[in-house]
Amino acid sequence: MMLFGFVFAAFGSVFCVIFLPWKLLDEFTLDKAPPLFVDGRVTHAEKSNMSINEVPVWKYEAKFTDGSHEMTSVGYTTGRSFAEGDEVSVRVHPQKADLHCPEGMRMSKGSPGSSFVLLFPLLGFSVMVAPWFAGRQRLRLYENGSVADVQVLSVRETKMFVNDRRVVQFTVKFPHLPETMKVNKSSYEEVHALRNSYETQKPLHVLYDPKKPKRFVTVEVG
């Protein structure tokens, strides 16, 4: 699982590098500033190496002057919206002259909607961390857990699978707790022990977390 998570996160990171709108913060800063527009003209238009929903992203360069110097502003659109020679208004930040973008364009190749690609590395890292987190929980259980004899009252197979093993739901009763609780198990040894306890109606020794009794492991696995 950790290896799968690493590969998934690595591929997701590549997609992030390609599709994320890396200048979204700059664009937000420019949009929030008082509007300052100068006249410009598109001097170059080309299709980029990115497509969004199979629509090519176009890159443009627009020339404008800030009063004393000629400058170039770069913008992008999904689908062609401008041509060389088109007159455009360039929005310039009043306090940051190097922060600008032609109107009707964005500053990044990727659109804000492309940010969904962040889900891929996040899911990958989650899969990587989950086994480590589960191991830490089990270690704390071994160090600080308590032992009890639980009664298994019911067994129900679910439609879920973990590592190709069916998840089985058990209803158990701790002797010192007033209510029953439902727990899901997929480990072969624990499922076997809990089933056996249910079928023989014999209490089962478990090691459990006093703060969260649902978190337990069986002591008898034969």
Side-chain angles (χ1 to χ4, degrees), residues 9 18 69 76 86 109 114-115 144 160 172 186 189 201 207:
I18 297 173
H69 301 90
Y76 299 87
D86 285 353
K109 282 186 184 181
S114 303
S115 299
N144 305 311
M160 296 185 298
V172 299
S186 61
E189 291 82 3
Q201 290 299 298
L207 181 67

Side-chain angles (χ1 to χ4, degrees), residues 14-61:
V14 172
F15 282 115
C16 285
V17 170
I18 297 173
F19 289 103
L20 274 183
W22 292 103
K23 293 188 176 181
L24 191 60
L25 183 59
D26 287 340
E27 197 163 343
F28 177 79
T29 302
L30 181 60
D31 289 342
K32 288 298 181 181
L36 176 61
F37 298 98
V38 296
D39 294 332
R41 184 181 299 275
V42 176
T43 58
H44 183 70
E46 66 175 357
K47 190 185 297 184
S48 74
N49 58 356
M50 179 189 292
S51 294
I52 297 177
N53 294 328
E54 300 184 356
V55 179
V57 173
W58 281 76
K59 175 184 177 181
Y60 308 92
E61 294 179 1

Side-chain angles (χ1 to χ4, degrees), residues 96-110:
K96 302 177 181 179
D98 59 340
L99 190 57
H100 44 72
C101 185
E103 276 293 286
M105 306 182 195
R106 59 179 182 268
M107 299 178 72
S108 304
K109 282 186 184 181

Side-chain angles (χ1 to χ4, degrees), residues 52-203:
I52 297 177
N53 294 328
E54 300 184 356
V55 179
V57 173
W58 281 76
K59 175 184 177 181
Y60 308 92
E61 294 179 1
K63 297 288 186 180
F64 70 99
T65 59
D66 63 354
S68 57
H69 301 90
E70 184 177 69
M71 303 181 69
T72 301
S73 186
V74 177
Y76 299 87
T77 64
T78 303
R80 187 164 189 173
S81 302
F82 301 89
E84 293 181 5
D86 285 353
E87 293 183 354
V88 293
S89 293
V90 180
R91 183 163 186 163
V92 182
H93 196 285
Q95 281 82 44
K96 302 177 181 179
D98 59 340
L99 190 57
H100 44 72
C101 185
E103 276 293 286
M105 306 182 195
R106 59 179 182 268
M107 299 178 72
S108 304
K109 282 186 184 181
S111 67
S114 303
S115 299
F116 79 93
V117 296
L118 283 170
L119 292 175
F120 296 108
L122 289 176
L123 286 173
F125 286 123
S126 297
V127 173
M128 287 176 60
V129 172
W132 175 85
F133 185 71
R136 291 293 301 174
Q137 283 188 330
R138 181 153 292 202
L139 180 60
R140 284 196 295 270
L141 182 61
Y142 290 151
E143 292 175 342
N144 305 311
S146 299
V147 177
D149 290 337
V150 300
Q151 193 73 36
V152 183
L153 304 178
S154 69
V155 180
R156 184 179 71 86
E157 293 191 354
T158 71
K159 295 182 179 180
M160 296 185 298
F161 286 85
V162 175
N163 295 333
D164 295 327
R165 292 187 296 237
R166 184 182 293 276
V167 176
V168 182
Q169 185 179 86
F170 298 91
T171 302
V172 299
K173 175 71 171 63
F174 280 78
H176 63 286
L177 298 177
E179 299 179 351
T180 62
M181 63 181 65
K182 297 183 183 298
V183 294
N184 295 330
K185 296 290 184 179
S186 61
S187 165
Y188 172 80
E189 291 82 3
E190 289 188 305
V191 168
H192 175 74
L194 286 159
R195 280 187 185 277
N196 184 63
S197 176
Y198 173 73
E199 292 170 357
T200 61
Q201 290 299 298
K202 293 181 179 179

